[in-house]
Amino acid sequence: MQRGTNKRRLGTLSIGIGLIGSLAGCGGGGGDDGSARNANNLQEQPKLTLDVFGARGDTLTASSEGCVGGAKISWAAADNAQLAASGASVADPAPEHPLQVTASCGNASATLTLAAQNVFASPGAFAVIQGDGTLAVWGDKLLGGDLSQLKAEQQPKNVVQVVGNERALAALQADGKVVSWGSVWAKSPFVSAQGATSNRFMAAAGAFGKVVKLWPTLRSFVALNEDGSVATWGVTQKTFGGLGGWKTAAQSFPSADALSQLRDIRDVSYNLAAVAALKKDGTVVAWGDPESGGDTTPVAAKLKDVVKLYATDYQFAALKKDGSVVSWGTNWETEDFFNGQEAAPQNALNLIGNGSVLAVLGKDGAVSTIGSGQFDKGANLTLLEASLSNVAQVFASKAAFAALKKDGSVVTWGDKQRNDPSAAQAQLNNVVNIASTELAFAALKKDGSVVSWGDETRGGDSSAVQAQLNNVVALYANDYAFAALKKDGSVVTWGAPMHGGDSRAVQDKLKNIRAIYHTSLGGFLAVAKDGRFVSWGGPSAGDAAPPASLKTIPYLKS
């Protein structure tokens, strides 16, 4: 559940590395007989082991020991071998399926099967699909963290997908029906079942059929029906001036013409006041406030062969198959709309946004930006061009960027007031991945240590726990704090104490942990290998009590 395609915002922010040990396993024999020596060697060879860390739906990391030179790791959906990946650390290739993980070394192998994704999070609530298909939900009651407002016949059952926006949750059932609940704004709760609701601000555009996929936007939802048609419901804000009345909300839905084109979508992106849908044929349909990109008219002719959509608060960008990028919405450099005539990146591999600026990683490893230099958010690359080469990946906080280079070094820029890496720069080598809160970064190094920088109140200072930050296999973050998962299953936290940075109250339960989930507003949820779980942090799900019916959250498939 994300804001646009910015993975920081709503989704589960986790990263990891594979720490694959190698043991010699070749002991010496006690006599001159070759057969005896070979037999002894076979007996003394260490057993191949396998363990897995990471949250389903995000990055997964395998740790294997007992293989000289390291084991080969493969990942495949247990019921669909085509959904597969390889490598010690991978993006989850099939979150909705049980996942079989295999470590191979010669004729030896070890296998684990992970349960399908069963934990979902919005900014203010956690939702867990229980074994009987019902939901366990907890968190901020105004933001969807309370099912008590639903009548017995409205309670979600046989749930297969959950998505959440800033103020609500929506559940898709196996029969294709959808139930959503939460608040339009403070003191305006709603329940919507297959589009039917008593709250006029949650009226739907388009008809509900048998729904097969859901997407969240800032304060609305989009549903794809089995026949390719689309329905959307909820409120879209104006870019400037906040929420309008009913008329304003209704006008933010797709026009009749746009709705007729809104078929066969494969992805949805959104920002503060508009929504853009990528269709399977590579074209784009948008709606909402034109000042945030709700109207594609100026660039419509160029929106073909699109493979991915990205967003900042006030604009969208489309990455095309040929590597070119098309932007639309508000152009702060000209204080007007993008018109398609602006110079744009032509050899792009992917993009990432921080709210005001998009960083573009080129296929050649160079970095460029789309955005205005009038904001100190990283648009200005003056004096950095030479450093931003051979880049492997770019990460974003809400105000800055960090580029991980192929040699393991890091270049960071933007937000000069708070994004100061000078104290950490000498340690930013051999880095394998980076996580971020809204105003700080943490880098995971190859040796399992961690380096942080940025706003001290948001996790930029990890000195109080630095001695504990070793043998780390994965980093997680909400907007305010970091959580480091270690190879022994323990967890180290730092950042804003009331929003997950202080885990001392639950430390005795943070054992044998394998995955950590978060709500961006300050909650963490840790799941152990045996299904035990514990949550902590701020009011938005962290310190709220999970339903008594939720006994375990399976990590491994039984």
Side-chain angles (χ1 to χ4, degrees):
M1 295 173 281
Q2 311 147 354
R3 180 178 190 171
T5 54
N6 187 335
K7 305 253 182 187
R8 287 200 62 268
R9 181 67 180 159
L10 303 174
T12 306
L13 265 176
S14 66
I15 59 175
I17 60 171
L19 299 178
I20 302 177
S22 61
L23 300 176
C26 295
D32 295 330
D33 183 83
S35 297
R37 285 199 303 272
N38 290 337
N40 287 336
N41 287 343
L42 289 173
Q43 292 172 0
E44 296 174 13
Q45 182 173 348
K47 179 181 179 180
L48 185 66
T49 65
L50 173 64
D51 208 346
V52 177
F53 301 85
R56 292 305 313 267
D58 213 295
T59 299
L60 299 170
T61 297
S63 174
S64 179
E65 296 182 348
C67 182
V68 177
K72 177 182 178 182
I73 308 296
S74 61
W75 316 72
D79 51 1
N80 187 342
Q82 293 183 341
L83 300 173
S86 60
S89 186
V90 300
D92 191 338
E96 67 277 16
H97 299 264
L99 189 67
Q100 184 171 294
V101 189
T102 303
S104 302
C105 181
N107 294 325
S109 65
T111 300
L112 289 175
T113 302
L114 307 185
Q117 183 176 0
N118 50 19
V119 178
F120 303 84
S122 70
F126 287 119
V128 176
I129 300 178
Q130 301 184 96
D132 62 358
T134 61
L135 281 183
V137 174
W138 71 99
D140 192 312
K141 293 184 177 181
L142 293 177
L143 305 181
D146 182 12
L147 283 172
S148 65
Q149 61 182 300
L150 279 67
K151 298 177 181 177
E153 63 272 16
Q154 295 174 321
Q155 294 287 333
K157 52 184 180 293
N158 298 318
V159 177
V160 295
Q161 184 192 8
V162 182
V163 297
N165 61 32
E166 274 196 348
R167 293 187 175 272
L169 292 170
L172 173 61
Q173 300 178 166
D175 61 5
K177 295 182 179 180
V178 177
V179 180
S180 58
W181 65 96
S183 301
V184 180
W185 47 73
K187 297 183 180 180
S188 181
F190 78 91
V191 176
S192 173
Q194 206 67 355
T197 179
S198 60
N199 192 311
R200 58 178 182 155
F201 293 102
M202 296 304 293
F208 284 82
K210 183 177 182 181
V211 177
V212 294
K213 189 170 179 61
L214 297 174
W215 289 270
T217 73
L218 189 70
R219 292 188 180 179
S220 63
F221 297 98
V222 179
L224 174 64
N225 293 317
E226 190 175 45
D227 65 1
S229 62
V230 172
T232 180
W233 71 106
V235 173
T236 301
Q237 289 182 261
K238 294 180 66 176
T239 304
F240 305 103
L243 285 169
W246 164 240
K247 183 178 180 181
T248 302
Q251 288 175 334
S252 68
F253 283 141
S255 64
D257 180 59
L259 194 59
S260 67
Q261 301 175 49
L262 197 55
R263 296 185 56 84
D264 300 319
I265 62 176
R266 69 183 187 195
D267 199 11
V268 171
S269 183
Y270 66 92
N271 57 27
L272 287 182
V275 184
L278 174 59
K279 299 177 63 175
K280 292 179 181 178
D281 64 2
T283 60
V284 176
V285 179
W287 65 94
D289 193 333
E291 294 192 24
S292 281
D295 181 5
T296 63
T297 300
V299 296
K302 294 188 174 185
L303 290 176
K304 300 175 181 178
D305 296 321
V306 175
V307 294
K308 186 72 175 176
L309 295 175
Y310 303 85
T312 67
D313 287 346
Y314 309 104
Q315 74 178 90
F316 291 104
L319 174 61
K320 300 180 65 172
K321 190 182 297 184
D322 63 3
S324 62
V325 177
V326 179
S327 297
W328 70 99
T330 295
N331 183 347
W332 290 103
E333 283 290 272
T334 63
E335 297 186 354
D336 201 346
F337 295 144
F338 284 97
N339 58 25
Q341 303 305 309
E342 300 85 4
Q346 296 298 313
N347 193 35
L349 180 65
N350 57 53
L351 293 76
I352 187 169
N354 67 9
S356 298
V357 178
L358 287 163
V360 183
L361 176 60
K363 295 177 182 177
D364 60 357
V367 175
S368 58
T369 59
I370 303 172
S372 173
Q374 65 178 286
F375 303 109
D376 183 19
K377 299 291 182 68
N380 189 350
L381 296 182
T382 303
L383 304 180
L384 287 175
E385 288 88 346
S387 300
L388 290 172
S389 60
N390 295 314
V391 173
Q393 193 170 355
V394 181
F395 303 84
S397 67
K398 286 187 177 179
F401 295 100
L404 173 58
K405 301 184 68 170
K406 294 177 181 178
D407 64 2
S409 62
V410 174
V411 178
T412 184
W413 71 100
D415 192 16
K416 296 182 182 67
Q417 182 178 356
R418 290 165 295 201
N419 185 46
D420 180 6
S422 56
Q425 193 66 62
Q427 303 174 62
L428 289 176
N429 51 65
N430 295 315
V431 172
V432 294
N433 231 321
I434 297 172
S436 63
T437 61
E438 61 179 5
L439 296 172
F441 292 98
L444 177 59
K445 300 182 65 171
K446 190 174 182 179
D447 64 2
S449 63
V450 175
V451 181
S452 63
W453 71 96
D455 192 310
E456 294 181 0
T457 68
R458 297 294 186 269
D461 180 4
S462 57
S463 59
V465 296
Q466 198 62 52
Q468 303 172 54
L469 290 174
N470 51 65
N471 295 316
V472 174
V473 293
L475 287 176
Y476 303 83
N478 58 38
D479 278 357
Y480 303 91
F482 292 102
L485 176 57
K486 300 179 65 170
K487 191 176 181 181
D488 64 3
S490 62
V491 175
V492 180
T493 61
W494 70 100
M498 298 299 292
H499 292 83
D502 183 353
S503 58
R504 287 177 295 179
V506 296
Q507 198 57 229
D508 62 328
K509 298 180 180 179
L510 291 173
K511 299 176 181 178
N512 206 24
I513 301 301
R514 291 299 179 271
I516 300 177
Y517 299 85
H518 80 278
T519 61
S520 58
L521 293 179
F524 283 117
L525 167 64
V527 178
K529 189 174 183 179
D530 63 4
R532 292 177 300 103
F533 65 92
V534 61
S535 60
W536 73 97
S540 294
D543 67 354
S549 62
L550 184 63
K551 304 301 183 184
T552 61
I553 301 175
Y555 186 70
L556 298 178
K557 182 175 173 56
S558 56

